[in-house]
Short mmCIF file of all heavy atoms in Angstrom, two decimals:
data_model
loop_
_atom_site.label_atom_id
_atom_site.label_comp_id
_atom_site.label_asym_id
_atom_site.label_seq_id
_atom_site.Cartn_x
_atom_site.Cartn_y
_atom_site.Cartn_z
N GLY A 1 -17.64 -32.72 -82.23
CA GLY A 1 -18.81 -32.52 -83.07
C GLY A 1 -20.06 -32.74 -82.26
O GLY A 1 -20.02 -32.81 -81.02
N ILE A 2 -21.18 -32.85 -82.94
CA ILE A 2 -22.44 -33.06 -82.24
C ILE A 2 -23.42 -33.81 -83.14
O ILE A 2 -23.45 -33.61 -84.34
CB ILE A 2 -23.05 -31.72 -81.75
CG1 ILE A 2 -24.09 -31.95 -80.68
CG2 ILE A 2 -23.62 -30.93 -82.87
CD1 ILE A 2 -23.52 -32.36 -79.36
N SER A 3 -24.18 -34.69 -82.53
CA SER A 3 -25.31 -35.34 -83.16
C SER A 3 -26.51 -35.04 -82.28
O SER A 3 -26.45 -35.23 -81.07
CB SER A 3 -25.12 -36.86 -83.23
OG SER A 3 -24.02 -37.20 -84.01
N ALA A 4 -27.58 -34.57 -82.89
CA ALA A 4 -28.77 -34.22 -82.11
C ALA A 4 -30.02 -34.38 -82.95
O ALA A 4 -29.99 -34.23 -84.16
CB ALA A 4 -28.68 -32.78 -81.60
N VAL A 5 -31.12 -34.69 -82.27
CA VAL A 5 -32.42 -34.79 -82.90
C VAL A 5 -33.23 -33.57 -82.47
O VAL A 5 -33.29 -33.26 -81.28
CB VAL A 5 -33.15 -36.08 -82.47
CG1 VAL A 5 -34.57 -36.11 -82.99
CG2 VAL A 5 -32.38 -37.30 -82.95
N ILE A 6 -33.84 -32.89 -83.44
CA ILE A 6 -34.82 -31.85 -83.15
C ILE A 6 -36.17 -32.50 -83.39
O ILE A 6 -36.49 -32.90 -84.50
CB ILE A 6 -34.66 -30.61 -84.07
CG1 ILE A 6 -33.23 -30.09 -84.08
CG2 ILE A 6 -35.67 -29.54 -83.67
CD1 ILE A 6 -32.77 -29.45 -82.82
N ASN A 7 -36.94 -32.65 -82.32
CA ASN A 7 -38.25 -33.28 -82.43
C ASN A 7 -39.30 -32.28 -82.88
O ASN A 7 -39.13 -31.07 -82.72
CB ASN A 7 -38.65 -33.91 -81.08
CG ASN A 7 -37.80 -35.12 -80.77
OD1 ASN A 7 -37.58 -35.97 -81.61
ND2 ASN A 7 -37.30 -35.18 -79.55
N LYS A 8 -40.39 -32.78 -83.41
CA LYS A 8 -41.46 -31.92 -83.91
C LYS A 8 -42.14 -31.15 -82.79
O LYS A 8 -42.85 -30.19 -83.06
CB LYS A 8 -42.46 -32.75 -84.70
CG LYS A 8 -41.86 -33.32 -85.97
CD LYS A 8 -42.83 -34.19 -86.72
CE LYS A 8 -42.15 -34.79 -87.95
NZ LYS A 8 -43.04 -35.67 -88.68
N ASP A 9 -41.91 -31.53 -81.53
CA ASP A 9 -42.48 -30.79 -80.40
C ASP A 9 -41.52 -29.73 -79.87
O ASP A 9 -41.69 -29.22 -78.78
CB ASP A 9 -42.89 -31.75 -79.29
CG ASP A 9 -41.70 -32.46 -78.65
OD1 ASP A 9 -40.54 -32.24 -79.10
OD2 ASP A 9 -41.91 -33.24 -77.72
N ASN A 10 -40.49 -29.38 -80.65
CA ASN A 10 -39.49 -28.35 -80.34
C ASN A 10 -38.47 -28.80 -79.29
O ASN A 10 -37.72 -27.97 -78.78
CB ASN A 10 -40.12 -27.04 -79.86
CG ASN A 10 -41.14 -26.51 -80.81
OD1 ASN A 10 -41.10 -26.80 -81.99
ND2 ASN A 10 -42.07 -25.73 -80.30
N SER A 11 -38.42 -30.05 -78.94
CA SER A 11 -37.43 -30.51 -77.98
C SER A 11 -36.16 -30.96 -78.71
O SER A 11 -36.20 -31.34 -79.87
CB SER A 11 -37.98 -31.66 -77.13
OG SER A 11 -38.28 -32.78 -77.93
N VAL A 12 -35.05 -30.88 -78.00
CA VAL A 12 -33.75 -31.26 -78.55
C VAL A 12 -33.24 -32.44 -77.75
O VAL A 12 -33.26 -32.43 -76.52
CB VAL A 12 -32.74 -30.09 -78.44
CG1 VAL A 12 -31.36 -30.52 -78.92
CG2 VAL A 12 -33.23 -28.89 -79.23
N LYS A 13 -32.76 -33.48 -78.44
CA LYS A 13 -32.15 -34.62 -77.76
C LYS A 13 -30.76 -34.82 -78.34
O LYS A 13 -30.59 -35.06 -79.53
CB LYS A 13 -32.97 -35.88 -77.95
CG LYS A 13 -32.34 -37.06 -77.26
CD LYS A 13 -33.26 -38.22 -77.10
CE LYS A 13 -32.56 -39.26 -76.26
NZ LYS A 13 -33.40 -40.35 -75.93
N LEU A 14 -29.74 -34.69 -77.48
CA LEU A 14 -28.37 -34.92 -77.91
C LEU A 14 -28.15 -36.41 -78.10
O LEU A 14 -28.48 -37.21 -77.23
CB LEU A 14 -27.39 -34.35 -76.89
CG LEU A 14 -27.48 -32.84 -76.66
CD1 LEU A 14 -26.46 -32.40 -75.62
CD2 LEU A 14 -27.29 -32.06 -77.95
N MET A 15 -27.59 -36.79 -79.23
CA MET A 15 -27.39 -38.20 -79.57
C MET A 15 -25.93 -38.62 -79.46
O MET A 15 -25.55 -39.68 -79.93
CB MET A 15 -27.91 -38.48 -80.98
CG MET A 15 -29.41 -38.32 -81.12
SD MET A 15 -30.35 -39.44 -80.06
CE MET A 15 -29.91 -41.03 -80.75
N GLY A 16 -25.13 -37.79 -78.85
CA GLY A 16 -23.73 -38.10 -78.63
C GLY A 16 -23.11 -37.03 -77.77
O GLY A 16 -23.68 -35.95 -77.59
N GLU A 17 -21.96 -37.34 -77.24
CA GLU A 17 -21.23 -36.36 -76.44
C GLU A 17 -19.85 -36.21 -77.04
O GLU A 17 -19.16 -37.20 -77.30
CB GLU A 17 -21.10 -36.84 -75.00
CG GLU A 17 -22.42 -36.87 -74.26
CD GLU A 17 -22.26 -37.31 -72.83
OE1 GLU A 17 -21.20 -37.06 -72.24
OE2 GLU A 17 -23.22 -37.89 -72.30
N PRO A 18 -19.42 -34.95 -77.27
CA PRO A 18 -18.07 -34.76 -77.78
C PRO A 18 -17.05 -35.21 -76.75
O PRO A 18 -17.26 -35.07 -75.55
CB PRO A 18 -17.98 -33.27 -78.05
CG PRO A 18 -19.15 -32.65 -77.39
CD PRO A 18 -20.14 -33.71 -77.09
N ASP A 19 -15.96 -35.78 -77.24
CA ASP A 19 -14.87 -36.15 -76.34
C ASP A 19 -14.24 -34.90 -75.77
O ASP A 19 -14.21 -33.85 -76.42
CB ASP A 19 -13.79 -36.94 -77.11
CG ASP A 19 -14.23 -38.33 -77.46
OD1 ASP A 19 -15.05 -38.91 -76.73
OD2 ASP A 19 -13.76 -38.85 -78.49
N SER A 20 -13.73 -35.02 -74.58
CA SER A 20 -12.97 -33.92 -74.01
C SER A 20 -11.90 -34.50 -73.12
O SER A 20 -12.03 -35.61 -72.62
CB SER A 20 -13.88 -32.97 -73.22
OG SER A 20 -14.48 -33.67 -72.15
N GLY A 21 -10.87 -33.74 -72.94
CA GLY A 21 -9.76 -34.18 -72.11
C GLY A 21 -9.30 -33.05 -71.22
O GLY A 21 -10.07 -32.16 -70.87
N ASP A 22 -8.04 -33.09 -70.88
CA ASP A 22 -7.49 -32.08 -70.00
C ASP A 22 -7.23 -30.75 -70.71
O ASP A 22 -7.09 -29.72 -70.09
CB ASP A 22 -6.17 -32.57 -69.39
CG ASP A 22 -6.38 -33.79 -68.49
OD1 ASP A 22 -7.48 -33.88 -67.89
OD2 ASP A 22 -5.47 -34.62 -68.40
N PHE A 23 -7.17 -30.77 -72.05
CA PHE A 23 -6.86 -29.57 -72.81
C PHE A 23 -7.90 -29.38 -73.91
O PHE A 23 -8.52 -30.33 -74.36
CB PHE A 23 -5.46 -29.69 -73.45
CG PHE A 23 -4.38 -29.94 -72.45
CD1 PHE A 23 -3.90 -31.22 -72.24
CD2 PHE A 23 -3.87 -28.90 -71.69
CE1 PHE A 23 -2.92 -31.47 -71.30
CE2 PHE A 23 -2.89 -29.14 -70.75
CZ PHE A 23 -2.41 -30.42 -70.55
N SER A 24 -8.06 -28.14 -74.37
CA SER A 24 -8.98 -27.83 -75.45
C SER A 24 -8.58 -28.60 -76.71
O SER A 24 -7.41 -28.67 -77.05
CB SER A 24 -8.94 -26.33 -75.72
OG SER A 24 -9.76 -26.03 -76.82
N GLY A 25 -9.55 -29.16 -77.39
CA GLY A 25 -9.29 -29.89 -78.62
C GLY A 25 -8.80 -31.30 -78.41
O GLY A 25 -8.51 -32.01 -79.37
N GLU A 26 -8.68 -31.74 -77.17
CA GLU A 26 -8.21 -33.10 -76.90
C GLU A 26 -9.38 -34.07 -77.10
O GLU A 26 -10.45 -33.88 -76.54
CB GLU A 26 -7.70 -33.19 -75.47
CG GLU A 26 -7.02 -34.49 -75.15
CD GLU A 26 -6.41 -34.49 -73.77
OE1 GLU A 26 -6.14 -33.41 -73.22
OE2 GLU A 26 -6.22 -35.58 -73.23
N THR A 27 -9.17 -35.08 -77.89
CA THR A 27 -10.24 -35.99 -78.22
C THR A 27 -9.69 -37.37 -78.55
O THR A 27 -8.51 -37.53 -78.81
CB THR A 27 -11.06 -35.44 -79.41
OG1 THR A 27 -12.20 -36.26 -79.62
CG2 THR A 27 -10.25 -35.40 -80.69
N ASP A 28 -10.56 -38.37 -78.51
CA ASP A 28 -10.21 -39.68 -79.02
C ASP A 28 -10.55 -39.70 -80.50
O ASP A 28 -11.57 -39.14 -80.91
CB ASP A 28 -11.01 -40.78 -78.31
CG ASP A 28 -10.52 -41.05 -76.91
OD1 ASP A 28 -9.30 -40.99 -76.70
OD2 ASP A 28 -11.35 -41.31 -76.03
N PHE A 29 -9.71 -40.33 -81.29
CA PHE A 29 -9.92 -40.36 -82.73
C PHE A 29 -10.23 -41.78 -83.19
O PHE A 29 -10.07 -42.74 -82.44
CB PHE A 29 -8.68 -39.84 -83.47
CG PHE A 29 -8.43 -38.38 -83.25
CD1 PHE A 29 -7.37 -37.96 -82.46
CD2 PHE A 29 -9.24 -37.43 -83.83
CE1 PHE A 29 -7.13 -36.61 -82.25
CE2 PHE A 29 -9.01 -36.07 -83.64
CZ PHE A 29 -7.95 -35.68 -82.84
N LEU A 30 -10.65 -41.88 -84.42
CA LEU A 30 -10.96 -43.17 -85.03
C LEU A 30 -9.74 -44.08 -85.04
O LEU A 30 -9.87 -45.30 -85.03
CB LEU A 30 -11.47 -42.93 -86.45
CG LEU A 30 -12.14 -44.08 -87.17
CD1 LEU A 30 -13.30 -44.63 -86.36
CD2 LEU A 30 -12.62 -43.63 -88.54
N THR A 31 -8.55 -43.50 -85.01
CA THR A 31 -7.31 -44.28 -85.03
C THR A 31 -6.92 -44.78 -83.64
O THR A 31 -5.96 -45.54 -83.52
CB THR A 31 -6.16 -43.42 -85.59
OG1 THR A 31 -6.12 -42.18 -84.88
CG2 THR A 31 -6.34 -43.16 -87.08
N SER A 32 -7.63 -44.37 -82.60
CA SER A 32 -7.32 -44.82 -81.23
C SER A 32 -7.64 -46.31 -81.11
O SER A 32 -8.66 -46.77 -81.61
CB SER A 32 -8.15 -44.05 -80.21
OG SER A 32 -7.90 -42.67 -80.33
N PRO A 33 -6.78 -47.09 -80.44
CA PRO A 33 -7.00 -48.54 -80.33
C PRO A 33 -8.34 -48.92 -79.71
O PRO A 33 -8.94 -49.92 -80.09
CB PRO A 33 -5.84 -49.01 -79.44
CG PRO A 33 -4.83 -47.92 -79.46
CD PRO A 33 -5.55 -46.65 -79.78
N GLN A 34 -8.86 -48.10 -78.79
CA GLN A 34 -10.11 -48.46 -78.13
C GLN A 34 -11.33 -48.36 -79.05
O GLN A 34 -12.42 -48.78 -78.68
CB GLN A 34 -10.33 -47.63 -76.85
CG GLN A 34 -10.48 -46.15 -77.07
CD GLN A 34 -9.17 -45.40 -76.93
OE1 GLN A 34 -8.10 -45.94 -77.21
NE2 GLN A 34 -9.24 -44.15 -76.53
N MET A 35 -11.16 -47.86 -80.27
CA MET A 35 -12.30 -47.77 -81.20
C MET A 35 -12.65 -49.12 -81.82
O MET A 35 -13.60 -49.22 -82.57
CB MET A 35 -12.03 -46.74 -82.29
CG MET A 35 -11.92 -45.33 -81.77
SD MET A 35 -13.22 -44.92 -80.59
CE MET A 35 -12.35 -43.86 -79.48
N LYS A 36 -11.87 -50.14 -81.48
CA LYS A 36 -12.21 -51.50 -81.92
C LYS A 36 -12.78 -52.31 -80.77
O LYS A 36 -13.05 -53.49 -80.90
CB LYS A 36 -10.97 -52.19 -82.48
CG LYS A 36 -10.49 -51.57 -83.77
CD LYS A 36 -9.31 -52.34 -84.29
CE LYS A 36 -8.77 -51.69 -85.53
NZ LYS A 36 -7.59 -52.35 -86.03
N ASN A 37 -12.97 -51.66 -79.62
CA ASN A 37 -13.47 -52.32 -78.43
C ASN A 37 -14.99 -52.11 -78.34
O ASN A 37 -15.46 -50.98 -78.21
CB ASN A 37 -12.77 -51.72 -77.20
CG ASN A 37 -13.24 -52.33 -75.91
OD1 ASN A 37 -14.42 -52.40 -75.64
ND2 ASN A 37 -12.28 -52.74 -75.09
#
């Protein structure tokens, strides 16, 4: 997914980076143990 701010001066600031892995669609999920770290 994506989180981003569109500022009133027309600039875009990404507020997160999507997870990626070795394959398309590979991601860490909320159920991953490291999400409590």
Side-chain angles (χ1 to χ4, degrees):
I2 198 72
S3 297
V5 173
I6 308 290
N7 290 314
K8 293 178 183 178
D9 66 358
N10 306 336
S11 63
V12 176
K13 180 165 187 174
L14 298 180
M15 294 299 295
E17 292 182 30
D19 287 331
S20 61
D22 296 330
F23 303 99
S24 176
E26 188 175 338
T27 187
D28 285 323
F29 293 108
L30 193 55
T31 51
S32 302
Q34 64 266 29
M35 295 314 145
K36 293 183 183 176
N37 179 309

